[in-house]
């Protein structure tokens, strides 16, 4: 049986599929990653049917060339992620698990994967892509609109912004070249919309007298913060 390798470029980077025995960072060519896929119901419930969140999909180079994407002039068609090798006896089980993703508008493609460690040979990988003809594909979106939607969307699996910020961090940790400007730009916009929790919790100085303090440690903490 042929080896089964799966390329992950979204949540699969930090949330691996079951039954893998190798995980290799690297990239594929001929695509860009975009938050242009709506999500109602999925493995990553980050929205609701009335207020769907956004998840990533890949855009093929030939289609991308026809679009008026503001980031097109500054970016190469390279997508960093992770290739997973699935234990041969578990391939059917993992395919069944992954096929659930197809229900959410993702289709299967095959593409060469290039390991970050250039001493390793290229690998033939399967990848799930939300193609332009799937009903949840949105096409080019103004980045600030995407950021506003991500910032506001919450579903049973948690906040949509958490998915974006996880992806940003997972890419930073992958290897020195794995930066994705589309992702860091959106993360910057989302952080600007909602400051970190520490800042949200910190009250204006003049409110200090009104705050209820439950313990001495908490009082000390408040004094340190102020
Ligand atoms: C990914 O993480 O690579 C992914 C997850 C769901 C659908 C398509 C891709």
């Amino acid at each position: 049986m042929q080896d089964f390798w799966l390329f992950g470029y979204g949540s699969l980077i930090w949330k691996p599929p079951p039954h893998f025995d190798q995980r290799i960072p690297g990239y594929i060519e001929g695509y860009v990653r975009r938050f242009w896929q709506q999500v109602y119901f999925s493995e990553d419930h980050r929205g609701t049917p009335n207020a769907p969140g956004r998840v990533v999909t890949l855009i093929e180079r030939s289609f991308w060339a026809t679009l008026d994407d503001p980031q097109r002039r500054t970016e190469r068609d390279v997508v960093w992620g992770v290739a997973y090798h699935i234990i041969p006896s578990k391939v059917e089980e993992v395919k069944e698990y992954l096929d659930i993703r197809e229900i959410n508008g993702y289709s299967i493609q095959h593409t060469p994967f290039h390991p970050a460690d250039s001493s390793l040979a290229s690998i033939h990988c399967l990848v799930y892509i939300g193609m332009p003809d799937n009903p949840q594909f949105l096409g080019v979106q103004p980045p600030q609109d995407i950021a506003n939607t991500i910032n506001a969307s919450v579903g049973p699996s948690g906040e949509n912004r958490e998915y974006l910020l996880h992806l940003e961090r997972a890419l930073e940790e992958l290897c020195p070249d794995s930066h994705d400007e589309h992702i860091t730009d959106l993360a910057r916009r989302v952080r600007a919309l909602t400051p970190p929790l520490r800042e949200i919790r910190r009250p204006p100085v003049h409110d200090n007298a009104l705050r209820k303090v439950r313990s001495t440690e908490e009082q000390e903490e408040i004094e340190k913060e102020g």
Side-chain angles (χ1 to χ4, degrees), residues 5-8 20 22-27 81-85 113-117 120-121 123 174:
W5 287 89
L6 170 70
F7 179 65
F20 71 96
Q22 290 180 67
R23 177 185 186 272
I24 301 183
Y27 63 91
V82 170
Y84 292 99
H85 181 257
F113 168 86
H114 309 284
D117 177 351
L120 301 175
I123 295 166
L174 218 50

PDB file of all heavy atoms in Angstrom, residues 5-8 20 22-27 81-85 113-117 120-121 123 174:
ATOM      1  N   TRP A   5       0.315  10.417   3.303  1.00  0.00           N
ATOM      2  CA  TRP A   5       0.786  11.654   3.930  1.00  0.00           C
ATOM      3  C   TRP A   5      -0.298  12.707   3.772  1.00  0.00           C
ATOM      4  O   TRP A   5      -0.859  12.874   2.687  1.00  0.00           O
ATOM      5  CB  TRP A   5       2.047  12.166   3.254  1.00  0.00           C
ATOM      6  CG  TRP A   5       3.288  11.389   3.547  1.00  0.00           C
ATOM      7  CD1 TRP A   5       3.766  10.303   2.857  1.00  0.00           C
ATOM      8  CD2 TRP A   5       4.234  11.640   4.593  1.00  0.00           C
ATOM      9  NE1 TRP A   5       4.944   9.868   3.405  1.00  0.00           N
ATOM     10  CE2 TRP A   5       5.262  10.675   4.479  1.00  0.00           C
ATOM     11  CE3 TRP A   5       4.324  12.596   5.606  1.00  0.00           C
ATOM     12  CZ2 TRP A   5       6.354  10.641   5.347  1.00  0.00           C
ATOM     13  CZ3 TRP A   5       5.408  12.564   6.469  1.00  0.00           C
ATOM     14  CH2 TRP A   5       6.408  11.591   6.339  1.00  0.00           C
ATOM     15  N   LEU A   6      -0.549  13.455   4.842  1.00  0.00           N
ATOM     16  CA  LEU A   6      -1.580  14.489   4.848  1.00  0.00           C
ATOM     17  C   LEU A   6      -0.914  15.830   5.139  1.00  0.00           C
ATOM     18  O   LEU A   6      -0.126  15.940   6.087  1.00  0.00           O
ATOM     19  CB  LEU A   6      -2.585  14.155   5.961  1.00  0.00           C
ATOM     20  CG  LEU A   6      -3.614  15.220   6.302  1.00  0.00           C
ATOM     21  CD1 LEU A   6      -4.629  15.361   5.158  1.00  0.00           C
ATOM     22  CD2 LEU A   6      -4.350  14.831   7.594  1.00  0.00           C
ATOM     23  N   PHE A   7      -1.244  16.859   4.342  1.00  0.00           N
ATOM     24  CA  PHE A   7      -0.694  18.199   4.601  1.00  0.00           C
ATOM     25  C   PHE A   7      -1.700  19.025   5.405  1.00  0.00           C
ATOM     26  O   PHE A   7      -2.864  19.150   5.006  1.00  0.00           O
ATOM     27  CB  PHE A   7      -0.382  18.914   3.273  1.00  0.00           C
ATOM     28  CG  PHE A   7       0.157  20.308   3.455  1.00  0.00           C
ATOM     29  CD1 PHE A   7       1.389  20.515   4.066  1.00  0.00           C
ATOM     30  CD2 PHE A   7      -0.562  21.426   3.030  1.00  0.00           C
ATOM     31  CE1 PHE A   7       1.903  21.807   4.251  1.00  0.00           C
ATOM     32  CE2 PHE A   7      -0.062  22.716   3.208  1.00  0.00           C
ATOM     33  CZ  PHE A   7       1.170  22.900   3.821  1.00  0.00           C
ATOM     34  N   GLY A   8      -1.259  19.568   6.529  1.00  0.00           N
ATOM     35  CA  GLY A   8      -2.102  20.437   7.355  1.00  0.00           C
ATOM     36  C   GLY A   8      -1.599  21.860   7.283  1.00  0.00           C
ATOM     37  O   GLY A   8      -0.397  22.116   7.456  1.00  0.00           O
ATOM     38  N   PHE A  20      -0.824   9.296  13.695  1.00  0.00           N
ATOM     39  CA  PHE A  20       0.318   9.638  12.835  1.00  0.00           C
ATOM     40  C   PHE A  20       1.595   9.177  13.542  1.00  0.00           C
ATOM     41  O   PHE A  20       1.641   9.088  14.777  1.00  0.00           O
ATOM     42  CB  PHE A  20       0.370  11.150  12.550  1.00  0.00           C
ATOM     43  CG  PHE A  20       0.770  12.000  13.728  1.00  0.00           C
ATOM     44  CD1 PHE A  20       2.091  12.397  13.901  1.00  0.00           C
ATOM     45  CD2 PHE A  20      -0.156  12.377  14.686  1.00  0.00           C
ATOM     46  CE1 PHE A  20       2.466  13.171  14.992  1.00  0.00           C
ATOM     47  CE2 PHE A  20       0.212  13.150  15.767  1.00  0.00           C
ATOM     48  CZ  PHE A  20       1.527  13.546  15.926  1.00  0.00           C
ATOM     49  N   GLN A  22       4.786  10.290  12.016  1.00  0.00           N
ATOM     50  CA  GLN A  22       5.805  11.288  11.661  1.00  0.00           C
ATOM     51  C   GLN A  22       5.119  12.624  11.416  1.00  0.00           C
ATOM     52  O   GLN A  22       4.018  12.657  10.845  1.00  0.00           O
ATOM     53  CB  GLN A  22       6.530  10.894  10.378  1.00  0.00           C
ATOM     54  CG  GLN A  22       7.435   9.693  10.515  1.00  0.00           C
ATOM     55  CD  GLN A  22       8.103   9.407   9.167  1.00  0.00           C
ATOM     56  OE1 GLN A  22       8.918  10.196   8.686  1.00  0.00           O
ATOM     57  NE2 GLN A  22       7.751   8.286   8.553  1.00  0.00           N
ATOM     58  N   ARG A  23       5.781  13.691  11.838  1.00  0.00           N
ATOM     59  CA  ARG A  23       5.261  15.060  11.620  1.00  0.00           C
ATOM     60  C   ARG A  23       6.423  15.900  11.106  1.00  0.00           C
ATOM     61  O   ARG A  23       7.435  16.060  11.797  1.00  0.00           O
ATOM     62  CB  ARG A  23       4.753  15.625  12.946  1.00  0.00           C
ATOM     63  CG  ARG A  23       4.249  17.060  12.867  1.00  0.00           C
ATOM     64  CD  ARG A  23       3.883  17.558  14.269  1.00  0.00           C
ATOM     65  NE  ARG A  23       3.254  18.875  14.247  1.00  0.00           N
ATOM     66  CZ  ARG A  23       3.914  20.019  14.281  1.00  0.00           C
ATOM     67  NH1 ARG A  23       5.246  20.034  14.329  1.00  0.00           N
ATOM     68  NH2 ARG A  23       3.259  21.176  14.269  1.00  0.00           N
ATOM     69  N   ILE A  24       6.296  16.399   9.874  1.00  0.00           N
ATOM     70  CA  ILE A  24       7.422  17.098   9.248  1.00  0.00           C
ATOM     71  C   ILE A  24       6.997  18.507   8.825  1.00  0.00           C
ATOM     72  O   ILE A  24       6.072  18.666   8.025  1.00  0.00           O
ATOM     73  CB  ILE A  24       7.922  16.315   8.008  1.00  0.00           C
ATOM     74  CG1 ILE A  24       8.350  14.911   8.429  1.00  0.00           C
ATOM     75  CG2 ILE A  24       9.058  17.042   7.322  1.00  0.00           C
ATOM     76  CD1 ILE A  24       8.921  14.083   7.296  1.00  0.00           C
ATOM     77  N   PRO A  25       7.653  19.549   9.348  1.00  0.00           N
ATOM     78  CA  PRO A  25       7.365  20.915   8.884  1.00  0.00           C
ATOM     79  C   PRO A  25       7.905  21.140   7.473  1.00  0.00           C
ATOM     80  O   PRO A  25       8.966  20.603   7.118  1.00  0.00           O
ATOM     81  CB  PRO A  25       8.121  21.811   9.883  1.00  0.00           C
ATOM     82  CG  PRO A  25       8.605  20.921  10.968  1.00  0.00           C
ATOM     83  CD  PRO A  25       8.657  19.522  10.419  1.00  0.00           C
ATOM     84  N   GLY A  26       7.180  21.935   6.701  1.00  0.00           N
ATOM     85  CA  GLY A  26       7.629  22.220   5.334  1.00  0.00           C
ATOM     86  C   GLY A  26       6.582  23.031   4.597  1.00  0.00           C
ATOM     87  O   GLY A  26       5.715  23.648   5.223  1.00  0.00           O
ATOM     88  N   TYR A  27       6.637  23.025   3.280  1.00  0.00           N
ATOM     89  CA  TYR A  27       5.724  23.891   2.510  1.00  0.00           C
ATOM     90  C   TYR A  27       5.292  23.230   1.210  1.00  0.00           C
ATOM     91  O   TYR A  27       5.918  22.276   0.731  1.00  0.00           O
ATOM     92  CB  TYR A  27       6.407  25.231   2.219  1.00  0.00           C
ATOM     93  CG  TYR A  27       7.653  25.123   1.364  1.00  0.00           C
ATOM     94  CD1 TYR A  27       7.585  25.213  -0.028  1.00  0.00           C
ATOM     95  CD2 TYR A  27       8.905  24.910   1.947  1.00  0.00           C
ATOM     96  CE1 TYR A  27       8.730  25.094  -0.811  1.00  0.00           C
ATOM     97  CE2 TYR A  27      10.046  24.794   1.172  1.00  0.00           C
ATOM     98  CZ  TYR A  27       9.955  24.886  -0.204  1.00  0.00           C
ATOM     99  OH  TYR A  27      11.077  24.756  -0.970  1.00  0.00           O
ATOM    100  N   GLY A  81       3.297  24.584   6.417  1.00  0.00           N
ATOM    101  CA  GLY A  81       2.430  23.759   7.263  1.00  0.00           C
ATOM    102  C   GLY A  81       3.183  22.517   7.704  1.00  0.00           C
ATOM    103  O   GLY A  81       4.409  22.543   7.861  1.00  0.00           O
ATOM    104  N   VAL A  82       2.437  21.436   7.850  1.00  0.00           N
ATOM    105  CA  VAL A  82       3.018  20.212   8.398  1.00  0.00           C
ATOM    106  C   VAL A  82       2.518  19.011   7.598  1.00  0.00           C
ATOM    107  O   VAL A  82       1.332  18.949   7.262  1.00  0.00           O
ATOM    108  CB  VAL A  82       2.580  20.066   9.881  1.00  0.00           C
ATOM    109  CG1 VAL A  82       2.940  18.716  10.420  1.00  0.00           C
ATOM    110  CG2 VAL A  82       3.205  21.149  10.734  1.00  0.00           C
ATOM    111  N   ALA A  83       3.421  18.077   7.296  1.00  0.00           N
ATOM    112  CA  ALA A  83       2.996  16.807   6.671  1.00  0.00           C
ATOM    113  C   ALA A  83       2.968  15.725   7.749  1.00  0.00           C
ATOM    114  O   ALA A  83       3.914  15.588   8.532  1.00  0.00           O
ATOM    115  CB  ALA A  83       3.960  16.418   5.561  1.00  0.00           C
ATOM    116  N   TYR A  84       1.858  14.993   7.786  1.00  0.00           N
ATOM    117  CA  TYR A  84       1.711  13.889   8.741  1.00  0.00           C
ATOM    118  C   TYR A  84       1.721  12.564   7.987  1.00  0.00           C
ATOM    119  O   TYR A  84       0.978  12.408   7.003  1.00  0.00           O
ATOM    120  CB  TYR A  84       0.378  13.978   9.485  1.00  0.00           C
ATOM    121  CG  TYR A  84       0.275  15.134  10.427  1.00  0.00           C
ATOM    122  CD1 TYR A  84      -0.390  16.301  10.057  1.00  0.00           C
ATOM    123  CD2 TYR A  84       0.821  15.069  11.707  1.00  0.00           C
ATOM    124  CE1 TYR A  84      -0.493  17.383  10.933  1.00  0.00           C
ATOM    125  CE2 TYR A  84       0.729  16.143  12.590  1.00  0.00           C
ATOM    126  CZ  TYR A  84       0.067  17.286  12.197  1.00  0.00           C
ATOM    127  OH  TYR A  84      -0.037  18.348  13.070  1.00  0.00           O
ATOM    128  N   HIS A  85       2.525  11.634   8.480  1.00  0.00           N
ATOM    129  CA  HIS A  85       2.488  10.265   7.938  1.00  0.00           C
ATOM    130  C   HIS A  85       1.582   9.434   8.834  1.00  0.00           C
ATOM    131  O   HIS A  85       1.757   9.378  10.058  1.00  0.00           O
ATOM    132  CB  HIS A  85       3.892   9.652   7.905  1.00  0.00           C
ATOM    133  CG  HIS A  85       3.885   8.274   7.332  1.00  0.00           C
ATOM    134  ND1 HIS A  85       3.975   7.131   8.119  1.00  0.00           N
ATOM    135  CD2 HIS A  85       3.768   7.838   6.053  1.00  0.00           C
ATOM    136  CE1 HIS A  85       3.936   6.066   7.333  1.00  0.00           C
ATOM    137  NE2 HIS A  85       3.810   6.470   6.082  1.00  0.00           N
ATOM    138  N   PHE A 113       5.082  18.076  -1.426  1.00  0.00           N
ATOM    139  CA  PHE A 113       5.392  18.777  -0.182  1.00  0.00           C
ATOM    140  C   PHE A 113       6.913  18.807  -0.034  1.00  0.00           C
ATOM    141  O   PHE A 113       7.586  17.793  -0.242  1.00  0.00           O
ATOM    142  CB  PHE A 113       4.751  18.016   0.985  1.00  0.00           C
ATOM    143  CG  PHE A 113       5.222  18.446   2.347  1.00  0.00           C
ATOM    144  CD1 PHE A 113       4.623  19.514   3.000  1.00  0.00           C
ATOM    145  CD2 PHE A 113       6.267  17.782   2.983  1.00  0.00           C
ATOM    146  CE1 PHE A 113       5.045  19.910   4.260  1.00  0.00           C
ATOM    147  CE2 PHE A 113       6.697  18.169   4.244  1.00  0.00           C
ATOM    148  CZ  PHE A 113       6.087  19.236   4.886  1.00  0.00           C
ATOM    149  N   HIS A 114       7.441  19.980   0.335  1.00  0.00           N
ATOM    150  CA  HIS A 114       8.897  20.126   0.465  1.00  0.00           C
ATOM    151  C   HIS A 114       9.260  20.307   1.939  1.00  0.00           C
ATOM    152  O   HIS A 114       8.892  21.338   2.536  1.00  0.00           O
ATOM    153  CB  HIS A 114       9.375  21.330  -0.347  1.00  0.00           C
ATOM    154  CG  HIS A 114       8.871  21.297  -1.759  1.00  0.00           C
ATOM    155  ND1 HIS A 114       9.408  20.463  -2.703  1.00  0.00           N
ATOM    156  CD2 HIS A 114       7.846  21.962  -2.359  1.00  0.00           C
ATOM    157  CE1 HIS A 114       8.753  20.626  -3.847  1.00  0.00           C
ATOM    158  NE2 HIS A 114       7.799  21.519  -3.662  1.00  0.00           N
ATOM    159  N   PRO A 115       9.955  19.335   2.543  1.00  0.00           N
ATOM    160  CA  PRO A 115      10.333  19.469   3.952  1.00  0.00           C
ATOM    161  C   PRO A 115      11.253  20.667   4.171  1.00  0.00           C
ATOM    162  O   PRO A 115      12.078  21.010   3.311  1.00  0.00           O
ATOM    163  CB  PRO A 115      11.069  18.157   4.247  1.00  0.00           C
ATOM    164  CG  PRO A 115      10.588  17.197   3.218  1.00  0.00           C
ATOM    165  CD  PRO A 115      10.341  18.015   1.992  1.00  0.00           C
ATOM    166  N   ALA A 116      11.096  21.324   5.355  1.00  0.00           N
ATOM    167  CA  ALA A 116      11.984  22.443   5.704  1.00  0.00           C
ATOM    168  C   ALA A 116      13.427  21.955   5.746  1.00  0.00           C
ATOM    169  O   ALA A 116      14.350  22.682   5.381  1.00  0.00           O
ATOM    170  CB  ALA A 116      11.560  23.011   7.060  1.00  0.00           C
ATOM    171  N   ASP A 117      13.635  20.748   6.207  1.00  0.00           N
ATOM    172  CA  ASP A 117      14.961  20.130   6.216  1.00  0.00           C
ATOM    173  C   ASP A 117      15.252  19.669   4.778  1.00  0.00           C
ATOM    174  O   ASP A 117      14.740  18.650   4.312  1.00  0.00           O
ATOM    175  CB  ASP A 117      14.937  18.936   7.185  1.00  0.00           C
ATOM    176  CG  ASP A 117      16.268  18.182   7.192  1.00  0.00           C
ATOM    177  OD1 ASP A 117      17.125  18.472   6.333  1.00  0.00           O
ATOM    178  OD2 ASP A 117      16.422  17.302   8.051  1.00  0.00           O
ATOM    179  N   LEU A 120      15.869  16.159   3.261  1.00  0.00           N
ATOM    180  CA  LEU A 120      14.802  15.166   3.068  1.00  0.00           C
ATOM    181  C   LEU A 120      14.184  15.323   1.680  1.00  0.00           C
ATOM    182  O   LEU A 120      14.082  16.437   1.156  1.00  0.00           O
ATOM    183  CB  LEU A 120      13.702  15.340   4.127  1.00  0.00           C
ATOM    184  CG  LEU A 120      14.125  15.208   5.591  1.00  0.00           C
ATOM    185  CD1 LEU A 120      12.968  15.524   6.528  1.00  0.00           C
ATOM    186  CD2 LEU A 120      14.642  13.788   5.863  1.00  0.00           C
ATOM    187  N   ALA A 121      13.738  14.212   1.108  1.00  0.00           N
ATOM    188  CA  ALA A 121      13.132  14.237  -0.232  1.00  0.00           C
ATOM    189  C   ALA A 121      11.720  14.807  -0.165  1.00  0.00           C
ATOM    190  O   ALA A 121      11.077  14.786   0.890  1.00  0.00           O
ATOM    191  CB  ALA A 121      13.093  12.819  -0.784  1.00  0.00           C
ATOM    192  N   ILE A 123       7.692  14.948  -0.729  1.00  0.00           N
ATOM    193  CA  ILE A 123       6.700  13.917  -0.381  1.00  0.00           C
ATOM    194  C   ILE A 123       5.408  14.218  -1.126  1.00  0.00           C
ATOM    195  O   ILE A 123       5.016  15.389  -1.254  1.00  0.00           O
ATOM    196  CB  ILE A 123       6.430  13.970   1.156  1.00  0.00           C
ATOM    197  CG1 ILE A 123       7.680  13.593   1.936  1.00  0.00           C
ATOM    198  CG2 ILE A 123       5.249  13.104   1.542  1.00  0.00           C
ATOM    199  CD1 ILE A 123       7.602  13.944   3.412  1.00  0.00           C
ATOM    200  N   LEU A 174       6.955  26.958  13.717  1.00  0.00           N
ATOM    201  CA  LEU A 174       7.265  25.878  12.766  1.00  0.00           C
ATOM    202  C   LEU A 174       8.726  25.914  12.325  1.00  0.00           C
ATOM    203  O   LEU A 174       9.449  24.945  12.473  1.00  0.00           O
ATOM    204  CB  LEU A 174       6.336  26.042  11.565  1.00  0.00           C
ATOM    205  CG  LEU A 174       5.773  24.803  10.907  1.00  0.00           C
ATOM    206  CD1 LEU A 174       5.160  23.873  11.932  1.00  0.00           C
ATOM    207  CD2 LEU A 174       4.739  25.217   9.868  1.00  0.00           C
TER     208      LEU A 174
END
